Amino acid sequence: MNRNTARAAVAATIVTLGLAACGPGDPSPSPSSTPSATPTHAASPTATATTTTTTTTTTTTAAGGCPIWSDESIAGGLAAIDFNRFAGICVGMNYPEAGAASNMDIAGVAACPWVAELANDSAGLYVTALSSYDDPGASINFFHMIWMNDPATASSYEMPGTKEGITIGSTLAQLQAAYPSATHHAIDDMSRGPRDEWVVLGPDGNEYIFDVIDGLVSELNWGQLQPTGIQGEYCAL
């Protein structure tokens, strides 16, 4: 896969990926029923004979304040990841709303209906949205992105990232420079073993949680999460 193929996979937003059976534990903290951040939206100017109206694509929003993900917004510099969203899919959306926002069919994995796959790549990039075990698909609580290869190889691909440029393969030094307030948490994960996580608090109770292995970001969870870190498998044997 080359950089253009990876960008196309992210721009498409949803590609179905089959996962295995589900594991114990509820991956979703208390859901937020409303998208947590509203992008800036300039007021419409009053047209006159001598005035030209210019539309800023990066601030175009759908109902609820979630940005519209399109070729124009990508070209305008809209990052694929923000504290409350992946592309045009926001925390608080249900599966039908997320499908409408991405122009794709979004549904939970048959064995784990609280997990919906938003992107996959043959090279090993996976992005999912997670809702509640008790009411799968009713409200997206957070997102998960993981690279199933050595993070050192991720720089060869055009990964989705935050507006500060942090993504899988970024160094710990780059993460700390982008987010000076990031706090470190050493997690003793019973299902996955020890994990080094860096937590960045965002608006409206949303946050980033970066897993770091050997000085490189290997995994990212974001949305409505606990400020003490995250652990466990979301849909696994």
Side-chain angles (χ1 to χ4, degrees):
M1 182 191 70
N2 59 31
R3 293 170 66 87
N4 289 334
T5 304
R7 186 176 188 88
V10 175
T13 306
I14 308 295
V15 182
T16 301
L17 167 68
L19 292 180
C22 52
D26 190 338
S28 52
S30 299
S32 171
S33 60
T34 304
S36 304
T38 304
T40 303
H41 194 344
S44 301
T46 301
T48 67
T50 58
T51 299
T52 301
T53 301
T54 301
T55 300
T56 303
T57 58
T58 56
T59 59
T60 302
T61 59
C66 204
I68 294 175
W69 186 253
S70 65
D71 290 342
E72 291 76 16
S73 62
I74 295 169
L78 185 66
I81 295 173
D82 206 344
F83 282 101
N84 73 321
R85 65 172 179 81
F86 174 69
I89 301 174
C90 281
V91 166
M93 284 183 172
N94 58 34
Y95 285 173
E97 290 168 340
S102 60
N103 197 30
M104 299 292 286
D105 182 22
I106 295 182
V109 176
C112 309
W114 53 88
V115 179
E117 297 77 23
L118 305 185
N120 76 75
D121 191 281
S122 60
L125 176 68
Y126 300 101
V127 184
T128 56
L130 291 103
S131 56
S132 170
Y133 284 168
D134 296 330
D135 198 1
S139 178
I140 292 171
N141 296 328
F142 68 101
F143 303 93
H144 177 231
M145 180 171 75
I146 190 168
W147 174 245
M148 303 299 290
N149 288 301
D150 184 347
T153 66
S155 60
S156 301
Y157 299 86
E158 191 163 355
M159 295 286 183
T162 70
K163 63 182 178 181
E164 292 81 11
I166 303 303
T167 185
I168 292 174
S170 296
T171 66
L172 176 57
Q174 289 170 329
L175 188 160
Q176 291 174 309
Y179 308 110
S181 64
T183 57
H184 176 250
H185 298 267
I187 304 297
D188 185 12
D189 191 328
M190 294 183 64
S191 62
R192 296 179 52 182
R195 297 169 67 176
D196 281 324
E197 297 181 345
W198 291 81
V199 177
V200 181
L201 302 181
D204 302 315
N206 295 295
E207 60 191 71
Y208 295 141
I209 300 179
F210 299 93
D211 275 70
V212 174
I213 297 176
D214 295 331
L216 297 175
V217 174
S218 61
E219 187 173 343
L220 171 59
N221 290 273
W222 70 102
Q224 294 281 306
L225 296 163
Q226 296 296 325
T228 52
I230 195 167
Q231 61 181 305
E233 296 284 357
Y234 307 138
C235 184
L237 292 173

